[in-house]
Amino acid sequence: AQYRTDPDLQALHAKVPWIVVWDDHEIANDGYTTGAENHSADEGDYQARREAAAQAYHEWLPIRTPNADNLLEIYRGFEFGDLLSLHMLDTRHIGRDQQVAQTDPNFVELISDPNRQLLGDAQQQWLGGRLATSQATWQVLGQQVLMGRMVIPASILQSAFDAEGNPAPVAFNTALTDYLTAAQTAQLAPEALTATQQALLDPTLNPALPYNLDAWDGYQAAREAVLLAASGKNLVCLSGDTHNAWGNNLTLLDGTAAGVEFAGTSVSSPGFEGVFGFDVPTAAQFSGALTQLIPDLQYSNSYHRGLLLMTFTPEAASGEWVFVDSVKQAEFTAPAELRQTLQVAAGSNVLS
């Protein structure tokens, strides 16, 4: 807990109230109900590790413990008059089934399994009850992982990492460029498409697949259940985890608009730019390419660090991403040209 002695963090806690939620690393990377990706038997009993970590969390973080008899039960609700109902969820530990591996040859079928859980039955019922009875204008989910459909063509996904699982930025950029070139050619001069380009654009030969199976994309039936439970509501999902900034439209499997998502960046941890070693111009090109590839993605920033400032009124909800020029020194600026704002009008469920 050494970072808790940071004077800036202490000043922030003194200045404003906090509503906190954990991610996976408070216990172990990519945890689930019975284990974690980086927990092995020689590290002891996972349940004991999880209980000890949950106790430490409640001792050190500013949280009103909902259930002292079960410290893993941190899902809880907050009401802001008739404007906003905030539903704080746990998508990490209490109800999550084990993640499906991207290398599993049957992963497409597995992530569509209607029995796969992310929230668990008890939390799902609690959330469904709150959504059904709330009369607030906005229904807001405060939770950890991306809910938007983040799918990219298989040719790009398969090139992102080498056989040993290491990032392959050169191959990745080549596959990305090839696909975007084919798409542009199809728009401007379809008669000039080569057989290879036609294959790249054929969804049967090169299907769009989710790249992050730790997020809601790995639990598609669970996501559909939440979106259906919020049907007819003004749904806003607030997300984190990826260290990058995202703005998504949320859609049902049949394409119906169901809500929107604002995802905030990390304070200091690197994101895609760290994984692939992008410089600023390359990261900007990468973010722009993603918004072309992913239908529901409206905004992406894969390089800058900062915060997400949300504003809710009866007419609209807006999110402003505020980025700083450096997180490596005490003195910094937040340039206006780095800011980005998106909003959703009440009743629309679409970002603009």
Side-chain angles (χ1 to χ4, degrees):
Q2 183 177 1
Y3 77 94
R4 310 285 307 166
T5 65
D6 178 79
D8 292 325
L9 179 61
Q10 291 178 349
L12 185 57
H13 275 296
K15 186 176 180 63
V16 295
W18 288 52
I19 298 175
V20 300
V21 66
W22 53 40
D23 199 29
D24 52 343
H25 292 277
E26 285 84 350
I27 296 176
N29 185 60
D30 287 357
Y32 45 95
T33 53
T34 59
E37 176 270 332
N38 72 334
H39 180 86
S40 56
D42 61 2
E43 294 177 295
D45 179 70
Y46 179 73
Q47 300 303 322
R49 175 180 182 173
R50 189 167 73 159
E51 291 174 8
Q55 178 180 340
Y57 187 89
H58 284 265
E59 290 174 350
W60 281 96
L61 272 292
I63 182 172
R64 298 174 182 173
T65 303
N67 183 358
D69 295 325
N70 183 3
L71 296 182
L72 287 173
E73 188 179 304
I74 65 167
Y75 54 88
R76 60 209 192 277
F78 298 85
E79 301 299 323
F80 296 83
D82 60 0
L83 179 65
L84 186 156
S85 288
L86 175 61
H87 317 284
M88 294 299 295
L89 307 181
D90 173 19
T91 60
R92 276 302 183 188
H93 301 294
I94 200 168
R96 176 192 278 263
D97 288 331
Q98 185 174 0
Q99 296 86 342
V100 173
Q102 193 81 53
T103 54
D104 192 309
N106 299 313
F107 88 86
V108 174
E109 291 77 16
L110 292 172
I111 62 176
S112 302
D113 183 346
N115 297 313
R116 279 181 58 73
Q117 296 277 349
L118 187 61
L119 300 179
D121 286 335
Q123 186 176 190
Q124 178 69 48
Q125 292 174 13
W126 169 86
L127 176 60
R130 282 183 56 84
L131 289 171
T133 57
S134 174
Q135 298 300 308
T137 300
W138 298 98
Q139 304 301 313
V140 181
L141 307 181
Q143 54 92 56
Q144 295 90 337
V145 292
L146 284 180
M147 183 173 272
R149 300 181 191 282
M150 306 293 284
V151 293
I152 59 177
S155 60
I156 300 173
L157 178 64
Q158 292 163 359
S159 69
F161 298 91
D162 62 21
E164 285 73 43
N166 300 310
V170 175
F172 178 77
N173 281 328
T174 298
L176 181 61
T177 300
D178 288 347
Y179 185 91
L180 292 176
T181 300
Q184 186 178 38
T185 302
Q187 275 191 326
L188 301 178
E191 70 282 357
L193 281 171
T194 67
T196 299
Q197 290 177 321
Q198 290 175 357
L200 285 178
L201 299 178
D202 187 333
T204 303
L205 300 175
N206 190 24
L209 300 174
Y211 69 82
N212 183 1
L213 304 186
D214 180 54
W216 286 89
D217 270 337
Y219 303 80
Q220 295 184 1
R223 174 174 56 198
E224 191 80 353
V226 170
L227 295 180
L228 286 171
S231 179
K233 306 280 187 175
N234 292 306
L235 180 69
V236 173
C237 183
L238 304 179
S239 309
D241 178 59
T242 68
H243 306 173
N244 294 135
W246 312 93
N248 280 305
N249 289 325
L250 300 176
T251 55
L252 296 172
L253 288 172
D254 65 5
T256 301
V260 301
E261 177 176 43
F262 296 89
T265 182
S266 61
V267 175
S268 59
S269 297
F272 267 117
E273 85 288 356
V275 172
F276 290 106
F278 293 151
D279 57 17
V280 176
T282 304
Q285 292 173 1
F286 171 74
S287 293
L290 288 182
T291 58
Q292 295 181 57
L293 289 171
I294 303 173
D296 289 342
L297 180 62
Q298 305 303 299
Y299 172 68
S300 167
N301 184 307
S302 59
Y303 187 81
H304 294 101
R305 312 267 78 80
L307 59 88
L308 170 63
L309 178 63
M310 295 297 305
T311 302
F312 292 90
T313 70
E315 295 75 31
S318 66
E320 181 183 21
W321 288 271
V322 180
F323 300 108
V324 297
D325 60 350
S326 174
V327 295
K328 298 181 178 181
Q329 55 196 34
E331 300 298 323
F332 61 88
T333 62
E337 62 269 19
L338 295 184
R339 298 189 177 209
Q340 175 68 38
T341 300
L342 291 177
Q343 73 168 11
V344 55
S348 75
N349 282 331
V350 175
L351 288 172
S352 62

